[in-house]
């Protein structure tokens, strides 16, 4: 069948709407009519990271929609189901069997290589391959091919526009708090970067009753959202790095934060986050961008500190997405106000707005 996609035709290029051919679902595949797709920073950066030979390409990994067809080997998903799409995992390798699906041994192939395991693509244009299968979905499109392992069936009454960011951004931020750090009432958490991922971390920490939650950013609007969610805002505008570190320590009793999360991927900010940790504190770096971070070796060694990362907040989307939606229904994870909707044909406007900090989470709607 034919469908419309937001395609990038060259490395670093803009998104262009195009008509392509999309395959019928194979035995283990699911065809989803996309209702909405969140625009994530990864969709933007991958345009620059991938080599020229992997274009044209269709990105998108925060899709929601309605199932239109299922392959005969698919279980637990039926035509008409409403689904939130997330990342893929094989569910068979050692990490997957241990519940660490974000660290699946087949993750690179299943999420980033632009094709199926047999080398075929799910889409084509005038008979030529169009790379896709991004996070097992490529949902910057009117239709997407997905799989049972990355389709989360949700209540048909759920607003799929508001649910889109749960497939990646909200899951990553909240999962880092709930699954990786698990802070308690006696702890403090400093979140650097109050975008969608950072604010999801803030909301999860507040929901868990973490003693002190800080949000460090430059944008007044984002800091206001963090304060609304229950965090203490730290405006780093005009502050020297040492002043940011001093301010975080001041707000956490002098010693520094027990935990920190960086979503900015700005090397100088990562270093500040490390320096502002309490002794034996932990920093989780989530941002995608630079190849290297420079740490303060003396501070690291003298403080017994730990710097680590996390993939998708160590989440299994089949468990985490329903968990977060249940928190939302209970009024303890209120991120609906972060979403700004755009018609799909305005995708490049959405890109410009999020890069300029005018919106937190753009969601494209058909």
């Amino acid at each position: 069948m034919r469908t419309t996609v937001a395609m990038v035709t060259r490395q670093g290029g803009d998104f262009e709407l195009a008509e392509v051919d999309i395959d019928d679902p194979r035995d283990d595949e699911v065809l989803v009519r996309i209702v909405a797709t969140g625009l994530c920073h990864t969709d933007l950066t991958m345009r620059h990271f991938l080599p020229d030979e992997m274009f044209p390409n269709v990105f998108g990994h925060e899709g929601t929609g309605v199932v239109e067809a299922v392959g005969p080997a698919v279980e637990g998903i039926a035509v008409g189901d409403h689904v939130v799409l997330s990342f893929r995992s094989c569910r068979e390798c050692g990490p997957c069997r241990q519940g660490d699906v974000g660290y699946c041994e087949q993750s690179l192939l299943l999420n980033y290589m632009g094709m199926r395991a047999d080398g075929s693509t799910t889409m084509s244009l005038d008979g030529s391959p169009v790379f896709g299968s991004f996070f097992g979905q490529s949902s910057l499109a009117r239709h997407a091919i997905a799989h049972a392992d990355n389709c989360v069936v949700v209540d048909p009454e759920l607003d799929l526009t508001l649910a889109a960011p749960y497939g990646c951004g909200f899951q990553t931020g909240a999962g880092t708090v709930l699954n990786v750090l698990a802070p308690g009432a006696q702890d403090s958490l400093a979140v650097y970067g109050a975008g969608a991922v950072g604010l999801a971390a803030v909301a999860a920490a507040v929901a868990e009753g973490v003693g002190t939650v800080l949000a460090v950013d430059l944008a007044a609007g984002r800091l206001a959202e963090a304060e609304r969610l229950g965090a203490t805002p730290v405006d780093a505008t005009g502050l020297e790095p040492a002043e940011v570190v001093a301010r975080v320590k001041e707000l956490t009793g002098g010693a520094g934060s027990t935990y920190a999360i960086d979503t900015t991927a700005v090397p100088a900010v990562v270093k500040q986050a490390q320096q502002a940790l309490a002794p034996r504190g932990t920093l989780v770096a989530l941002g995608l961008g630079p190849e290297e971070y420079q740490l303060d070796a003396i501070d690291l060694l003298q403080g017994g500190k730990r710097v680590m990362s996390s993939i998708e907040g160590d989440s299994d989307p089949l468990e985490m997405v329903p968990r977060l939606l249940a928190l939302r229904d209970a009024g303890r994870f209120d991120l609906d106000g972060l979403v700004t909707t755009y018609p799909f044909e305005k995708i490049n406007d959405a890109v410009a707005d999020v890069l300029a900090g005018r919106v937190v989470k753009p969601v494209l709607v058909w």
Side-chain angles (χ1 to χ4, degrees):
M1 61 178 284
R2 299 280 288 177
T3 196
T4 305
V5 300
M7 184 166 62
V8 179
T9 61
R10 58 179 176 80
Q11 188 182 55
D14 289 337
F15 293 93
E16 303 173 18
L17 292 188
E19 294 289 318
V20 302
D21 293 300
I22 187 169
D23 290 355
D24 293 330
R26 294 185 178 180
D27 283 359
D28 62 342
E29 295 177 341
V30 179
L31 177 66
V32 179
R33 175 178 57 82
I34 299 298
V35 171
T37 307
L39 191 62
C40 182
H41 188 69
T42 305
D43 296 313
L44 309 184
T45 56
M46 291 302 290
R47 298 178 299 167
H48 303 279
F49 282 0
L50 294 180
D52 289 331
E53 56 267 26
M54 288 189 67
F55 292 90
N57 207 312
V58 179
F59 300 107
H61 61 289
E62 290 184 345
T64 60
V66 181
V67 175
E68 290 201 336
V70 297
V74 173
E75 298 180 353
I77 300 172
V79 172
D81 280 346
H82 289 212
V83 291
V84 172
L85 304 182
S86 190
F87 65 92
R88 286 212 65 199
S89 56
C90 76
R91 304 277 165 171
E92 296 178 352
C93 67
C96 282
R97 288 197 301 269
Q98 294 171 9
D100 298 325
V101 296
Y103 305 91
C104 172
E105 293 174 357
Q106 301 300 315
S107 182
L108 185 64
L109 174 61
L110 296 176
N111 293 287
Y112 295 104
M113 295 305 293
M115 61 189 75
R116 298 183 175 102
D118 66 1
S120 65
T121 60
T122 61
M123 295 171 287
S124 61
L125 178 62
D126 297 330
S128 297
V130 173
F131 291 96
S133 299
F134 191 58
F135 282 57
Q137 53 181 284
S138 285
S139 54
L140 287 175
R142 191 178 288 274
H143 294 85
I145 294 288
H147 299 76
D149 59 83
N150 72 324
C151 283
V152 184
V153 178
V154 296
D155 187 335
E157 298 300 316
L158 177 67
D159 186 337
L160 291 176
T161 300
L162 297 175
Y166 285 80
C168 181
F170 290 175
Q171 171 177 256
T172 298
T176 302
V177 172
L178 300 174
N179 301 327
V180 181
L181 298 177
Q186 74 283 4
D187 292 316
S188 55
L189 171 69
V191 177
Y192 296 81
V197 174
L199 290 172
V202 164
V206 172
E208 288 295 289
V210 176
T212 301
V213 182
L214 309 180
V216 186
D217 206 294
L218 302 173
R222 296 187 177 197
L223 290 170
E225 285 291 344
E227 187 170 21
R228 177 185 68 82
L229 291 168
T232 299
V234 179
D235 188 351
T237 304
L239 297 183
E240 295 295 326
E243 293 176 307
V244 175
V245 172
R247 181 65 175 148
V248 170
K249 287 187 174 183
E250 176 189 352
L251 291 170
T252 53
S257 63
T258 319
Y259 300 107
I261 296 172
D262 175 74
T263 70
T264 70
V266 176
V269 176
V270 173
K271 186 176 180 179
Q272 292 167 42
Q274 175 221 325
Q275 292 170 327
L277 282 174
R280 305 195 72 182
T282 299
L283 163 64
V284 183
L286 298 177
L288 176 65
E291 295 183 1
E292 296 180 348
Y293 290 134
Q294 183 179 9
L295 301 178
D296 183 334
I298 294 176
D299 175 76
L300 184 72
L301 297 172
Q302 290 186 338
K305 300 178 181 182
R306 181 169 65 156
V307 178
M308 60 179 294
S309 67
S310 170
I311 296 176
E312 295 282 342
D314 285 16
S315 302
D316 180 343
L318 300 183
E319 181 275 332
M320 182 55 71
V321 171
R323 180 180 177 185
L324 294 179
L325 289 172
L327 281 175
R328 173 183 179 269
D329 291 344
R332 298 174 59 206
F333 195 72
D334 181 15
L335 300 183
D336 292 358
L338 305 184
V339 171
T340 302
T341 59
Y342 296 78
F344 247 92
E345 61 268 22
K346 297 294 185 180
I347 183 170
N348 288 309
D349 291 345
V351 171
D353 285 349
V354 74
L355 290 178
R358 290 187 286 267
V359 300
V360 176
K361 172 52 70 172
V363 173
L364 301 158
V365 182
W366 287 105

